[in-house]
Amino acid sequence: CRLTWSVCIADRLQTFLQDPSKWISFGLIGEMKEARNSRETGSGAKKSPMISVLLPVKGVHERTLMHWRSQVKASHGGPMEFIFCMESAEDPAHAAALEFKKECGSSATIKVVNCGLSFYSSQKIHNLLQGVACINKSAEYVLFLDDDAQMSSTILSDLLFALETESDCLIASGWPNDYLPPNSAFVPSFASFMLLGYRCLSHLSMGTLYPSVVWGGCMLVRRSELVDPRIGILQAYPCP
């Protein structure tokens, strides 16, 4: 599994404190971004493939809609569909997802799937497996994405570029950027600082081009390899 973006921790935190709207990349990651931009704007630019986004959902909170809107707005320049997967219609997320589908109208393709109660695996894994069955047959890539992740505008392009340029790469993943804004309206709690410290330590294992671990909250895989029994991704989880 290969990480498609990385940041220099110390420089990034310093930059964030000066201007939270900025992030910086470096080394091979910066070179990948430059190559991607060159290919997208060059004469040989090709049509972007379709991506199906699977979002396992449970409940809603005050920032849910903001996260969903950022995910729908994130684009790689090609067709997309968003599949919201939840246990049942009794979950508050069900009504919220249907309302969000109305809000988006024709600007986004959204499916809402009630997956039922899981008896063979975690509910989240079960929801994702049921969502895979609803993927559009035209989709070439599948993005597994936590519904509470706020997306940057370029992350999809970065993930896609990694898989399209490296045939031996099975999964393209990323890692969330958490920071404490200097001019926030609230006083950061001790738990906030603990989370920031945890994320910084996590970057030691994730902050390389080809890490040995992958974060499941944002990972892109080729659909053909996802359903390939010789690779066995889907077969690794029990399903009735």
Side-chain angles (χ1 to χ4, degrees):
C1 301
R2 301 189 173 184
L3 186 67
T4 59
W5 54 266
S6 180
V7 286
C8 179
I9 297 174
D11 288 347
R12 188 199 66 172
L13 290 178
Q14 182 178 4
T15 301
F16 272 154
L17 291 175
Q18 295 172 353
D19 184 352
S21 67
K22 295 180 179 179
W23 83 354
I24 54 176
S25 58
F26 72 104
L28 292 176
I29 298 300
E31 294 176 7
M32 287 178 63
K33 290 179 180 291
E34 290 180 5
R36 184 207 72 200
N37 293 336
S38 175
R39 190 182 71 163
E40 290 177 349
T41 57
S43 58
K46 68 174 186 177
K47 183 178 179 181
S48 296
M50 181 177 185
I51 297 178
S52 290
V53 183
L54 297 182
L55 301 110
V57 184
K58 182 176 178 61
V60 294
H61 53 79
E62 60 181 7
R63 299 173 66 88
T64 294
L65 285 178
M66 181 189 72
H67 292 150
W68 291 357
R69 290 174 183 135
S70 74
Q71 292 161 353
V72 169
K73 289 180 180 179
S75 175
H76 65 297
M80 298 178 65
E81 68 173 354
F82 298 83
I83 305 176
F84 289 81
C85 311
M86 60 208 65
E87 179 182 324
S88 69
E90 297 179 359
D91 191 318
H94 177 81
L98 290 178
E99 188 64 29
F100 181 65
K101 181 177 180 179
K102 290 182 180 180
E103 175 187 314
C104 293
S106 60
S107 63
T109 300
I110 294 177
K111 300 176 182 177
V112 180
V113 181
N114 293 324
C115 304
L117 184 63
S118 173
F119 295 96
Y120 299 89
S121 63
S122 71
Q123 187 65 45
K124 181 177 182 179
I125 293 295
H126 174 76
N127 290 355
L128 289 173
L129 292 174
Q130 296 300 312
V132 167
C134 300
I135 291 174
N136 190 303
K137 300 301 182 183
S138 299
E140 296 183 41
Y141 293 87
V142 179
L143 176 66
F144 296 92
L145 180 67
D146 284 355
D147 83 297
D148 60 350
Q150 186 171 353
M151 300 286 282
S152 71
S153 59
T154 62
I155 184 64
L156 278 179
S157 296
D158 293 339
L159 294 170
L160 182 61
F161 181 80
L163 291 185
E164 289 202 319
T165 55
E166 301 196 41
S167 59
D168 62 340
C169 175
L170 177 64
I171 296 174
S173 181
W175 190 249
N177 288 280
D178 292 319
Y179 65 94
L180 300 175
N183 299 317
S184 60
F186 66 94
V187 178
S189 64
F190 177 73
S192 297
F193 282 101
M194 291 295 292
L195 178 60
L196 177 62
Y198 168 75
R199 293 300 192 201
C200 289
L201 291 175
S202 297
H203 273 292
L204 297 178
S205 60
M206 292 290 292
T208 60
L209 186 61
Y210 304 128
S212 58
V213 295
V214 61
W215 180 53
C218 179
M219 57 183 188
L220 185 71
V221 62
R222 300 177 187 89
R223 180 176 176 274
S224 60
E225 294 177 338
L226 174 65
V227 300
D228 190 341
R230 295 173 299 177
I231 298 177
I233 297 177
L234 300 181
Q235 289 73 21
Y237 298 95
C239 185

